[in-house]
Amino acid sequence: MGWEVVYGEEFVPSREDGYTVIIQKTKKVVSSEEPIRNSFKATEPGKVVLTIDNTSRRKKLAVYRHIIVKKDEAFF
């Protein structure tokens, strides 16, 4: 919220021999842009890493929300 930031998302699997999957390439997000909405279906255990980089000296507020749906649940 406010000025511009650099934003990216990636999935890092728990397995040591697993490959990191880039969900959202790193890109500059300006204050006038709509909120980013994204979904990702993991096929193995791991974590989603959000990277938000402040490109100026001004303080910024980043807000995010996530929903986890287990494999046997339906999402509507």
Side-chain angles (χ1 to χ4, degrees):
M1 300 174 71
W3 301 86
E4 59 191 33
V5 295
V6 175
Y7 172 80
E9 295 177 55
E10 62 184 13
F11 174 75
V12 180
S14 297
R15 290 187 356 225
E16 289 185 20
D17 61 342
Y19 292 99
T20 299
V21 177
I22 296 174
I23 301 170
Q24 172 69 53
K25 287 184 180 181
T26 304
K27 71 174 195 170
K28 186 180 284 190
V29 180
V30 295
S31 62
S32 60
E33 192 171 329
E34 292 291 318
I36 297 171
R37 183 176 178 150
N38 207 347
S39 64
F40 176 74
K41 184 176 181 177
T43 57
E44 60 184 313
K47 61 185 174 183
V48 175
V49 178
L50 303 177
T51 304
I52 302 169
D53 187 20
N54 185 356
T55 57
S56 70
R57 294 181 183 204
R58 294 182 183 230
K59 285 187 176 182
K60 298 179 178 110
L61 174 66
V63 180
Y64 70 93
R65 181 174 71 167
H66 67 278
I67 299 173
I68 298 173
V69 180
K70 295 193 180 208
K71 193 175 190 178
D72 55 341
E73 295 178 10
F75 183 76
F76 297 99

